[in-house]
Amino acid sequence: MRPLSPLCHLILFHLLCGSLSSRCPQECSCIAVTAIFCVQQNLSNMPRGLPSSAKDIFVFQNNIITLQKQDFVELGEIVMLDLSQNAVNEIPDGVFSPLSSLHNLDLSSNHITHISKDSFAGLVNLERLYLYSNRIQSIHPAAFEGLENLLELKLQGNQISVLPALKLPKLLHLDLSYNSIPPIGPKDLQTPHLESLKIAGLRLTSLDEDLLSSLVNLHVLDVSQNLLVEFQPTVKVMGGLRNLNLTGNPLGSLKHEDFQNLANLLELDLSNLNLQGFPEGFFGLFPKLEKLTAAENPFNCLCPLAWFPAWVKDAQIELLRMEETRCHFPPITSGKVLAKLEHKDFGCPTTTIELTSAGTSSTTSKPTNSTTPSVTTHAIPPAPPSEKPSKDTDSFPLSHTTAFPRDIIEDSEEEDIICPSNICLNGGTCVFDSNGEVVCLCPPSMSGLYCEIQNPSFLPPPSPRVSIETIATVQPSTISSLHITSTSISLDLHRYIHTRPHIRGIRLTYRNLSGPDRRPLQLNVPPTYPEYTLRGLQPNSTYSVCASPLGEPVHVSVSACMEARTAGIPPSFHEPSVDRTEPSSSLIPIVAAVAVVMVVAIVATVVVICRRRRPKAPVDVDLHETSPLEVEGVKTNPENGLIHPKQPDITPCPSLVQNTVEYEAPLIQGQCPANNNVACTKPMYV
């Protein structure tokens, strides 16, 4: 056999090296040797032997703690490197310098605490850098120098207290949300081409006008979860905005003049702004609007808002978080999805305007069952100059009178539109603000959105001279008492359950305001129990009872409370009073005892007669033999000879504890009598 020539040796060597370099590591999977996936392999270091021809390397969801420069020496051609969701705590200086072709670097969701000057040295072509959800506290002022091609930088969700000046001429997207940085100015962001700025959760009370004015290409602005109390003047004139997020700021009501120059908006987020409604014609300011978010607002679903569901459908608006966009008032629609209501659900009346020789008259009738109420409007000739309507009457055009329910419109000489009497409670005065929203002016003794909360300093002391007294804290959906005895209070929960069709259960909290122990006691009631009786109460005592939705935080705005005083024990009777609304379980053992005693007496009589008829004979008495009177269920009391029924084994009633677990089914306490006759004070479902 002829030996191989040197040229053949060289060719074989190159082929062998090429095959080795194209091999895929055992713990990874490769696609055409260009995309390498080493995911969820619990790797503590970068995998060795990666093909030099790789372009995209994904090594996320592992346990990599440290990075070394030799890990990337032979990977100079990669474009994408994903090291997210590991445990990297430090970026060594120059560790990525061999990756001169890298465009995308993802280091998010690691444990990085500091960024040094040379952490990203050599990444001259880097376009996207993701550092969010780390523990970064400090960044060197020159850390991002040399990244002149960077287009996107994400730093949200860290602990950054000082932001270095960002001199990034090509940067388009920047996210600084949820850090501890102070308000930023134009010197901090030297990014003339920035298109998207997200600065949510920075506790900002205002926005720097010079900064926003310098960002002439800004299209996306996220200032959610800050402390802005007014709409910033600079934002009003940013006509190039496409996406605006105002969620969670205490802005108050919306105003036309704040948004009139934002006609190019495509997405608008107005969540959690405590909105009761929208100004009339508000969304006409945004002819290009495609997506709207209005979740977590306490909407008043009255007739002024009846246009909203139809507008969402007709304008083909994508209402995001629709299931979280619900009515708060009135009670009949409370908790219902706003966009799913029909026009008739808003209580709009049918208004007919007729012309007579004496002038124009308007009549209002009840809403019909049709989806859209019929409105008959006749042409009205223009009034002469001397008879023009006054300023007061012109504040609500005639065509807008259909936007209020029947009880809102009351006939008067001037036909003024006033609030209904059932919106503001406890003497509150209902008015409409400049945006047509309902506002309640409360007396000094009350507070709350509808004057439903009584201030503690104005609570009257309970009168001991009244035996049965109910002092209710009036709310839109309250609870009341049906029957009160000296030891029980029967509650009426019909209205509370009816106004909350989606409720999973009711948490009842009650306490004795007249006794030394005023700690609250809680129990859970299913929504299928519209009537419930509290038992085991103290006579002649005032009890506070509150109902709140099960599974939701206890809050005054969602709780309905009342106070009721139990009756005293009549002096002419010494036995405890019994609730006559239902059979008392205390009579059962008494009747059973009497029956047993009668049976024992009959048996004893028969035994005595039988013994008298037997011939007398001496009988040895066994001290352990059962006495003639000791029959099944009966024993003689050794002290006084009385006969008592044998007590069965009874499982003691559980002591009353704070019930914080949501109910699954009504409790069955078969061994526990009614709680107003025993020491056990845990009320049962009735």
Side-chain angles (χ1 to χ4, degrees):
M1 179 181 293
R2 296 178 58 185
L4 295 176
S5 64
L7 179 61
C8 294
H9 281 287
L10 183 62
I11 294 174
L12 289 176
F13 177 77
H14 280 286
L15 290 175
L16 180 61
C17 293
S19 62
L20 292 176
S21 63
S22 62
R23 290 178 181 176
C24 187
Q26 183 178 1
E27 63 269 20
C28 305
S29 60
C30 304
I31 300 178
V33 201
T34 59
I36 314 298
F37 294 87
C38 310
V39 181
Q40 293 182 340
Q41 298 297 318
N42 198 27
L43 301 175
S44 57
N45 295 288
M46 282 289 296
R48 300 294 182 180
L50 292 174
S52 59
S53 59
K55 297 293 184 181
D56 303 323
I57 299 179
F58 302 89
V59 198
F60 57 87
Q61 293 183 358
N62 285 286
N63 194 31
I64 298 177
I65 300 177
T66 58
L67 300 175
Q68 300 178 5
K69 189 174 182 179
Q70 54 265 32
D71 295 336
F72 308 102
V73 170
E74 298 180 358
L75 302 176
E77 300 297 325
I78 66 172
V79 177
M80 170 71 189
L81 177 60
D82 189 343
L83 294 171
S84 63
Q85 303 180 58
N86 279 284
V88 178
N89 52 27
E90 183 183 4
I91 304 177
D93 293 344
V95 66
F96 298 119
S97 57
L99 308 179
S100 58
S101 299
L102 192 66
H103 287 179
N104 306 293
L105 177 58
D106 190 347
L107 292 168
S108 62
S109 300
N110 277 280
H111 301 163
I112 303 171
T113 57
H114 303 280
I115 302 296
S116 67
K117 177 182 178 181
D118 297 321
S119 292
F120 306 112
L123 300 179
V124 293
N125 290 309
L126 193 65
E127 296 180 349
R128 293 170 182 84
L129 177 58
Y130 297 161
L131 295 169
Y132 60 87
S133 299
N134 274 279
R135 304 171 183 176
I136 302 174
Q137 300 176 3
S138 62
I139 301 177
H140 191 277
F144 300 120
E145 289 185 0
L147 305 182
E148 296 183 355
N149 291 310
L150 197 64
L151 302 177
E152 187 173 2
L153 177 60
K154 292 186 176 182
L155 295 169
Q156 71 269 27
N158 283 287
Q159 304 168 19
I160 304 172
S161 57
V162 178
L163 181 70
L166 300 180
K167 300 178 181 179
L168 302 171
K170 295 185 179 181
L171 192 67
L172 299 178
H173 306 281
L174 176 62
D175 195 339
L176 302 173
S177 302
Y178 302 103
N179 279 285
S180 302
I181 60 178
I184 54 179
K187 294 183 180 180
D188 301 317
L189 298 186
Q190 300 178 32
T191 54
H193 296 93
L194 195 66
E195 295 182 356
S196 173
L197 176 61
K198 297 183 179 182
I199 48 178
L202 299 183
R203 303 186 64 82
L204 301 176
T205 57
S206 62
L207 302 179
D208 191 285
E209 295 188 10
D210 295 333
L211 171 64
L212 296 180
S213 300
S214 65
L215 303 177
V216 294
N217 292 326
L218 199 64
H219 297 324
V220 178
L221 179 60
D222 184 353
V223 293
S224 60
Q225 306 301 335
N226 279 292
L227 303 175
L228 304 177
V229 296
E230 62 180 0
F231 203 76
Q232 301 299 292
T234 309
V235 180
K236 298 179 182 180
V237 295
M238 298 181 69
L241 281 181
R242 302 291 190 272
N243 188 325
L244 178 60
N245 191 341
L246 299 172
T247 300
N249 284 283
L251 292 175
S253 58
L254 305 177
K255 301 177 182 179
H256 281 85
E257 55 269 22
D258 293 339
F259 297 85
Q260 60 185 0
N261 294 321
L262 305 180
N264 291 313
L265 279 181
L266 301 178
E267 299 184 24
L268 179 60
D269 196 333
L270 301 174
S271 302
N272 193 20
L273 295 183
N274 199 29
L275 300 178
Q276 299 178 16
F278 300 106
E280 184 180 351
F282 176 72
F283 291 105
L285 301 173
F286 317 115
K288 300 179 181 180
L289 193 65
E290 298 176 354
K291 298 180 180 180
L292 172 66
T293 309
E296 300 182 75
N297 282 301
F299 287 115
N300 284 342
C301 295
L302 301 173
C303 205
L305 198 58
W307 56 270
F308 183 79
W311 171 77
V312 170
K313 182 178 180 180
D314 296 341
Q316 297 182 350
I317 300 296
E318 183 179 355
L319 186 62
L320 305 179
R321 299 173 63 186
M322 178 187 296
E323 293 298 324
E324 301 175 62
T325 310
R326 297 177 178 268
C327 299
H328 177 72
F329 188 85
I332 192 172
T333 56
S334 178
K336 294 184 178 181
V337 178
L338 175 59
K340 295 182 180 180
L341 295 181
E342 298 181 2
H343 193 279
K344 63 181 180 180
D345 297 327
F346 293 85
C348 297
T350 301
T351 301
T352 303
I353 303 175
E354 299 178 353
L355 288 177
T356 62
S357 58
T360 304
S361 62
S362 175
T363 60
T364 306
S365 60
K366 294 182 178 180
T368 61
N369 294 328
S370 60
T371 303
T372 304
S374 60
V375 179
T376 304
T377 305
H378 300 281
I380 304 177
S386 60
E387 298 179 5
K388 288 184 178 181
S390 64
K391 182 178 180 180
D392 295 337
T393 58
D394 194 52
S395 60
F396 289 92
L398 189 59
S399 61
H400 296 166
T401 58
T402 59
F404 299 90
R406 175 189 178 116
D407 52 0
I408 294 182
I409 303 178
E410 297 184 3
D411 293 333
S412 63
E413 294 181 358
E414 299 181 356
E415 294 186 352
D416 291 334
I417 298 176
I418 61 177
C419 295
S421 58
N422 60 345
I423 287 186
C424 296
L425 308 172
N426 301 309
T429 303
C430 176
V431 297
F432 287 98
D433 61 10
S434 58
N435 297 318
E437 297 180 358
V438 175
V439 177
C440 291
L441 305 179
C442 304
S445 60
M446 306 303 297
S447 60
L449 190 60
Y450 304 105
C451 307
E452 72 277 12
I453 306 172
Q454 188 167 9
N455 297 331
S457 58
F458 290 89
L459 286 174
S463 174
R465 296 174 296 177
V466 182
S467 60
I468 300 177
E469 179 182 5
T470 300
I471 310 173
T473 302
V474 182
Q475 293 188 348
S477 54
T478 185
I479 59 177
S480 60
S481 59
L482 292 173
H483 185 78
I484 302 178
T485 68
S486 59
T487 58
S488 66
I489 299 175
S490 296
L491 303 176
D492 183 1
L493 305 176
H494 286 85
R495 184 179 177 188
Y496 191 87
I497 296 174
H498 177 71
T499 56
R500 291 167 173 81
H502 302 285
I503 196 172
R504 292 187 295 170
I506 303 173
R507 180 191 294 108
L508 289 179
T509 305
Y510 65 100
R511 68 181 74 195
N512 187 354
L513 303 180
S514 302
D517 187 1
R518 298 191 177 186
R519 291 176 297 178
L521 307 177
Q522 289 186 358
L523 53 92
N524 300 334
V525 179
T528 55
Y529 282 66
E531 296 180 6
Y532 187 84
T533 302
L534 298 176
R535 302 179 183 281
L537 308 181
Q538 296 296 324
N540 199 26
S541 300
T542 300
Y543 281 84
S544 171
V545 184
C546 291
S548 58
L550 189 63
E552 300 180 10
V554 179
H555 193 271
V556 176
S557 61
V558 296
S559 299
C561 299
M562 60 163 284
E563 291 183 10
R565 189 173 183 84
T566 56
I569 300 178
S572 58
F573 298 96
H574 299 283
E575 67 275 13
S577 60
V578 180
D579 188 358
R580 302 297 182 183
T581 57
E582 56 185 19
S584 175
S585 60
S586 63
L587 296 178
I588 298 176
I590 297 176
V591 175
V594 173
V596 171
V597 171
M598 293 178 64
V599 172
V600 170
I602 295 174
V603 173
T605 304
V606 173
V607 171
V608 171
I609 294 175
C610 291
R611 286 196 172 186
R612 288 181 178 178
R613 294 182 178 179
R614 292 178 182 176
K616 295 183 180 180
V619 179
D620 295 334
V621 179
D622 188 357
L623 295 178
H624 300 283
E625 183 179 356
T626 304
S627 172
L629 295 181
E630 291 184 8
V631 295
E632 181 66 24
V634 179
K635 299 188 77 171
T636 304
N637 191 320
E639 297 179 359
N640 50 18
L642 296 178
I643 299 175
H644 298 286
K646 183 178 180 180
Q647 298 296 329
D649 294 334
I650 299 178
T651 303
C653 296
S655 59
L656 181 64
V657 294
Q658 295 279 346
N659 189 355
T660 59
V661 181
E662 297 184 7
Y663 78 93
E664 294 182 356
L667 297 179
I668 301 177
Q669 301 175 346
Q671 301 294 338
C672 182
N675 61 359
N676 58 338
N677 295 294
V678 293
C680 177
T681 58
K682 184 172 183 178
M684 301 185 302
Y685 291 139
V686 295

